[in-house]
Amino acid sequence: MNNKKIGILVAFTIAVCFNIHAQSPKSLRINEVLLINENNYQDDYGLHSAWIEIYNTSYASVDLKGCYLTNDSLNPTKYPIPKSDVLTLIKPRQHALFWADGNPSRGTFHVNFTLDPNKDNYIALYDSNGKTLIDKVVVPKGMLADQSYARREDASSDWVVKTGTANN
């Protein structure tokens, strides 16, 4: 094989490997969490509930279906994200919002647990095998109404408290 063909083969292999990684749930991050929702986003029922935002860091769409969200470090498969909803596909560099209202019967994006502002809240996202941790955060107790615990910028490693409403 000549050098040109080897170079093309290596470039193709790298491109395929990068594309596979970019489309995996490993590119997802818990990006922002709001515990007490008085004047922030409303769900489809007009309710203000606590929420968890997931961000897709990749430049490819990533599907959340089959992954798990939990607020219990001993139960990584607490909320299985349904496999039947086409809306679980997060476009590149976009967000998905899950309502922590304890009412999964309201739809895919309503988890089966709530968050408690009077205690530290462990939140984690697990891969579809229920064992591989994708991301986690501990939201400190004492957050005020409409304050979120968020990454300084999408997917950054720095966490800050943000104040304001969805309309600001």
Side-chain angles (χ1 to χ4, degrees):
M1 211 180 246
N2 66 31
N3 286 345
K4 185 176 180 180
K5 288 182 180 177
I6 291 173
I8 292 171
L9 180 62
V10 168
F12 178 74
T13 304
I14 290 170
V16 168
C17 290
F18 176 74
N19 194 31
I20 289 171
H21 175 69
Q23 294 179 8
S24 82
K26 292 178 183 174
S27 0
L28 300 173
R29 296 291 173 269
I30 298 169
N31 207 51
E32 188 170 2
V33 179
L34 187 126
L35 302 178
I36 304 171
N37 186 353
E38 289 182 356
N39 296 302
N40 204 273
Y41 298 118
Q42 292 180 5
D43 67 11
D44 294 341
Y45 297 88
L47 301 173
H48 291 91
S49 301
W51 49 258
I52 302 162
E53 179 189 85
I54 307 294
Y55 178 68
N56 176 7
T57 65
S58 79
Y59 291 95
S61 295
V62 175
D63 206 333
L64 280 164
K65 69 179 174 187
C67 291
Y68 298 90
L69 270 172
T70 186
N71 67 340
D72 183 348
S73 61
L74 301 176
N75 185 2
T77 60
K78 188 167 188 176
Y79 179 71
I81 298 170
K83 296 178 181 180
S84 59
D85 194 329
V86 296
L87 297 177
T88 58
L89 185 70
I90 305 176
K91 303 263 187 218
R93 315 293 284 175
Q94 296 298 309
H95 309 87
L97 201 67
F98 285 85
W99 302 100
D101 59 6
N103 289 306
S105 62
R106 290 187 177 156
T108 297
F109 295 95
H110 292 262
V111 301
N112 59 359
F113 57 85
T114 59
L115 302 174
D116 184 350
N118 298 313
K119 68 176 191 170
D120 290 346
N121 285 270
Y122 170 87
I123 302 166
L125 177 66
Y126 281 84
D127 204 345
S128 59
N129 64 14
K131 296 177 183 170
T132 304
L133 178 66
I134 296 171
D135 196 22
K136 69 177 179 177
V137 64
V138 176
V139 180
K141 67 181 175 182
M143 300 291 291
L144 302 176
D146 298 319
Q147 280 187 335
S148 65
Y149 193 62
R151 295 179 187 267
R152 185 175 304 278
E153 296 175 9
D154 285 340
S156 75
S157 59
D158 296 329
W159 288 86
V160 296
V161 175
K162 292 185 177 181
T163 303
T165 65
N167 299 321
N168 289 344

